[in-house]
């Protein structure tokens, strides 16, 4: 018999953690939090649903009672709402990441863009089954706004369970998503755990400005970028997200080809350069670059940019907003960098800063999440015996949207253990 428990993250976005277990083995999928770091004992944080309900993994190593002979945590992707509880882990339980996710993790830590975690990391390759005692986990490449995102198939020899991770159908890897959806369908899943982020909001346009009435394809971001570069001959400032490596590389390429290279902050430049040196990478020489560690990168000083405003784009993180004080005329392209939206107070600071300087702000961001219609398409295509929606403020809205589909739903509760005999 295999049991499934939902350890955290019901009716919220992020922190969605499931435990799939047999008598001797268990697999936990994802290990994030929906909030920033909190101070408190692990027990009090579990009670507040900040941390997942697995106190044995947060206890002192000596006192830890080993309940399972074989166990592991599998991470779908490196967003903090899927990983941040790892910082509280006090156990040598293996934590599996996809190979590209692990490379990204190492690179972000090296550049100070990510927290170094004292955990027992292991790597999985896509489509290579990993045995954890009685359970087998096979990861499939998926599509989300971060490198290395996976969906998981978890099998016990009799039952099959799917975990979608965060997913979209309109990114650059649609064929990868089609592949796992069709494979999940063939396996006739007992349960599909499916993200339903877009069902959180009544207003279709509230998720990063993306709704079902709007085109949400990833390529639109690049098309907008290209169009704006062609139209505006001033300095173009961009604010993308450091973990969306594929987008960073593509923007770098587009800008180079239009002879308006992006000058990246050193941390971004180093991370990008670890993934591809196919295109020249320009880096802001802030006076601290030194001679070390800039191999392959082309340094550009702030003064050079100031004297050649129509020759460059400048990548600017919110922490370095004061650099923009040096410029009076530019256009600001927000492309999913922080601060992401109104819920973050820094967002208003950014908007006010730009308004005071009479700078045009254009949001060319594209969401990493499936639209409502796409979520329904995934559920229908996989057609699991039961579908459970989560990673949403309103999972019941997804159930309602599919009420005439013939699909069966499981509405997850913390207090239940779901048994598969
Ligand atoms: Zn998420
Ligand atoms: Zn995500």
């Amino acid at each position: 018999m295999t049991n499934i428990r939902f350890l955290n993250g019901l009716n919220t976005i992020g922190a969605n953690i499931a435990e799939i277990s047999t008598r001797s083995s268990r697999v936990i999928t994802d290990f994030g939090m929906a909030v920033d770091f909190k101070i408190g004992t692990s027990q009090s944080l579990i009670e507040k649903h900040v941390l997942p309900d697995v106190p044995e993994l947060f206890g002192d190593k000596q006192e830890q009672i080993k309940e399972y002979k074989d166990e592991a945590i599998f991470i779908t992707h490196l967003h903090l709402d899927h990983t941040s509880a790892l910082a509280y882990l006090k156990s040598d339980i293996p934590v599996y990441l996809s190979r590209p996710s692990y490379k990204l993790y190492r690179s972000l830590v090296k550049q100070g863009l990510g927290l170094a975690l004292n955990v027992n990391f292991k790597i999985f390759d896509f489509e290579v089954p990993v045995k954890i005692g009685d359970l087998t986990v096979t990861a499939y490449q998926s599509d989300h706004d971060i490198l290395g995102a996976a969906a998981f198939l978890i099998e016990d020899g009799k039952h099959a369970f799917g975990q979608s991770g965060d997913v979209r159908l309109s990114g650059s890897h649609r064929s990868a998503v089609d592949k796992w959806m069709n494979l999940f369908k063939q396996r006739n899943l007992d349960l599909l755990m499916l993200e339903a982020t877009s069902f959180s909001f009544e207003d279709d346009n509230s998720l990063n400005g993306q709704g079902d009435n709007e085109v949400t394809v990833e390529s639109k971001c690049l098309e907008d970028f290209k169009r704006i570069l062609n139209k505006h001959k001033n300095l173009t400032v961009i604010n993308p997200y450091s973990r969306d490596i594929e987008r960073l590389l593509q923007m770098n390429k587009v800008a180079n080809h239009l002879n308006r290279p992006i000058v990246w902050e050193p941390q971004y430049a180093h991370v990008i350069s670890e993934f591809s040196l196919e295109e020249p990478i320009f880096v802001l020489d802030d006076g601290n670059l030194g001679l070390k560690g800039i191999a392959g990168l082309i340094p550009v000083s702030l003064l050079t940019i100031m004297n050649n405003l129509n020759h460059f784009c400048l990548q600017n993180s919110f922490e370095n907003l004061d650099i923009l004080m040096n410029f009076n005329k530019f256009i600001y392209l927000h492309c999913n960098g922080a601060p992401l939206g109104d819920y973050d107070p820094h967002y208003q600071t950014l908007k006010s800063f730009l308004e005071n300087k009479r700078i045009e702000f254009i949001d060319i961001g594209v969401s990493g999440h499936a639209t409502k219609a796409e979520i329904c398409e995934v559920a229908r295509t996989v057609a699991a015996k039961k579908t459970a929606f989560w990673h949403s403020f309103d999972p019941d809205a997804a159930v309602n949207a599919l009420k005439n589909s013939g699909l069966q739903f499981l509405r997850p509760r913390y207090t239940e253990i779901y048994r598969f005999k």
Side-chain angles (χ1 to χ4, degrees):
M1 186 171 70
T2 296
N3 293 336
I4 294 188
R5 281 200 302 155
F6 292 88
L7 300 179
N8 211 2
L10 300 181
N11 303 310
T12 187
I13 293 180
N16 49 320
I17 303 171
E19 176 196 73
I20 299 99
S21 63
T22 65
R23 194 181 288 266
S24 65
S25 317
R26 94 168 144 179
V27 163
I28 293 171
T29 62
D30 282 336
F31 215 70
M33 302 192 299
V35 293
D36 284 339
F37 290 98
K38 286 271 181 299
I39 308 286
T41 62
S42 52
Q43 195 50 48
S44 71
L45 295 175
I46 287 169
E47 280 161 20
K48 289 178 200 148
H49 281 291
V50 172
L51 288 178
D53 187 10
V54 277
E56 67 279 13
L57 297 182
F58 300 116
D60 193 72
K61 265 180 191 160
Q62 283 84 46
E63 290 174 24
Q64 184 189 329
I65 309 153
K66 196 105 182 159
E67 277 190 71
Y68 296 94
K69 202 165 141 277
D70 299 285
E71 59 177 352
I73 295 171
F74 281 76
I75 301 292
T76 56
H77 65 288
L78 268 195
H79 278 153
L80 289 175
D81 59 319
H82 298 257
T83 57
S84 54
L86 291 172
Y88 294 82
L89 205 57
K90 283 194 183 138
S91 159
D92 58 1
I93 183 171
V95 177
Y96 281 85
L97 295 180
S98 71
R99 193 170 291 279
S101 295
Y102 186 66
K103 185 176 175 184
L104 177 59
Y105 162 76
R106 292 284 302 265
S107 182
L108 292 168
V109 168
K110 198 165 130 195
Q111 295 308 324
L113 292 169
L115 190 69
L117 296 165
N118 183 24
V119 303
N120 178 18
F121 278 124
K122 304 266 184 205
I123 291 170
F124 63 75
D125 285 304
F126 294 127
E127 302 186 33
V128 178
V130 179
K131 270 195 91 63
I132 306 295
D134 303 333
L135 299 166
T136 304
V137 182
T138 312
Y140 294 89
Q141 189 194 349
S142 196
D143 193 338
H144 188 40
D145 54 353
I146 189 165
L147 194 78
F152 295 137
L153 175 69
I154 301 136
E155 295 167 293
D156 64 1
K158 189 174 172 195
H159 307 99
F161 311 101
Q163 216 282 44
S164 70
D166 289 357
V167 63
R168 61 181 169 184
L169 295 186
S170 40
S172 326
H173 303 289
R174 169 69 198 245
S175 57
V177 182
D178 280 337
K179 186 171 181 180
W180 69 249
M181 287 197 297
N182 289 322
L183 205 128
F184 282 14
K185 182 186 171 60
Q186 284 166 24
R187 291 296 158 106
N188 193 19
L189 297 188
D190 291 271
L191 178 68
L192 170 67
M193 292 166 266
L194 177 56
E195 76 118 315
T197 315
S198 295
F199 277 100
S200 301
F201 312 102
E202 262 181 49
D203 169 15
D204 271 342
N205 294 317
S206 24
L207 185 73
N208 299 343
Q210 305 298 332
D212 277 12
N213 301 326
E214 208 174 330
V215 185
T216 56
V217 289
E218 172 64 19
S219 56
K220 184 176 175 287
C221 175
L222 287 175
E223 281 161 23
D224 285 348
F225 182 46
K226 230 184 266 181
R227 183 176 49 76
I228 291 164
L229 280 188
N230 278 323
K231 193 171 147 202
H232 295 269
K233 298 300 175 192
N234 298 327
L235 177 69
T236 303
V237 173
I238 62 165
N239 181 13
Y241 180 48
S242 62
R243 299 184 179 205
D244 196 351
I245 300 295
E246 290 182 349
R247 184 185 288 175
L248 300 183
L249 287 170
Q250 281 171 331
M251 291 185 95
N252 190 59
K253 190 173 177 176
V254 163
N256 280 348
H257 288 203
L258 292 174
N259 288 321
R260 305 271 293 280
I262 300 167
V263 181
W264 301 93
E265 292 169 0
Q267 292 171 313
Y268 272 64
H270 282 287
V271 171
I272 298 168
S273 70
E274 287 192 29
F275 287 89
S276 175
L277 280 170
E278 211 176 286
E279 284 283 329
I281 298 166
F282 293 73
V283 57
L284 185 63
D285 189 349
D286 53 4
N288 297 317
L289 278 183
L291 291 171
K292 231 177 71 193
I294 55 165
L297 306 185
I298 303 160
V300 180
S301 72
L302 208 52
L303 197 64
T304 307
I305 302 172
M306 287 159 76
N307 290 330
N308 300 278
L309 291 176
N310 53 353
H311 286 180
F312 294 105
C313 300
L314 178 64
Q315 175 259 323
N316 183 261
S317 303
F318 180 73
E319 306 87 83
N320 297 323
L321 198 61
D322 56 343
I323 288 180
L324 301 184
M325 298 288 273
N326 294 293
F327 303 98
N328 288 321
K329 222 175 163 200
F330 59 92
I331 186 161
Y332 189 96
L333 303 185
H334 198 264
C335 19
N336 302 100
L340 250 185
D342 278 334
Y343 59 87
D344 183 339
H346 291 318
Y347 192 71
Q348 202 42 57
T349 311
L350 170 67
K351 292 290 272 289
S352 305
F353 173 86
L354 296 172
E355 269 160 30
N356 288 340
K357 288 179 76 71
R358 297 179 193 283
I359 297 298
E360 192 180 355
F361 171 100
I362 306 177
D363 190 348
I364 61 166
V366 167
S367 170
H369 296 282
T371 61
K372 290 176 184 176
E374 289 174 349
I375 292 164
C376 294
E377 188 181 339
V378 177
R380 279 201 177 94
T381 306
V382 174
K385 287 177 207 156
K386 289 259 169 77
T387 303
F389 292 107
W390 62 350
H391 202 283
S392 174
F393 289 125
D394 190 6
D396 284 346
V399 172
N400 285 337
L402 284 160
K403 61 174 184 273
N404 299 321
S405 63
L407 293 173
Q408 302 278 312
F409 302 99
L410 182 151
R411 287 180 163 90
R413 302 279 176 261
Y414 289 127
T415 46
E416 295 269 328
I417 297 174
Y418 301 92
R419 299 176 199 282
F420 296 83
K421 289 182 183 161

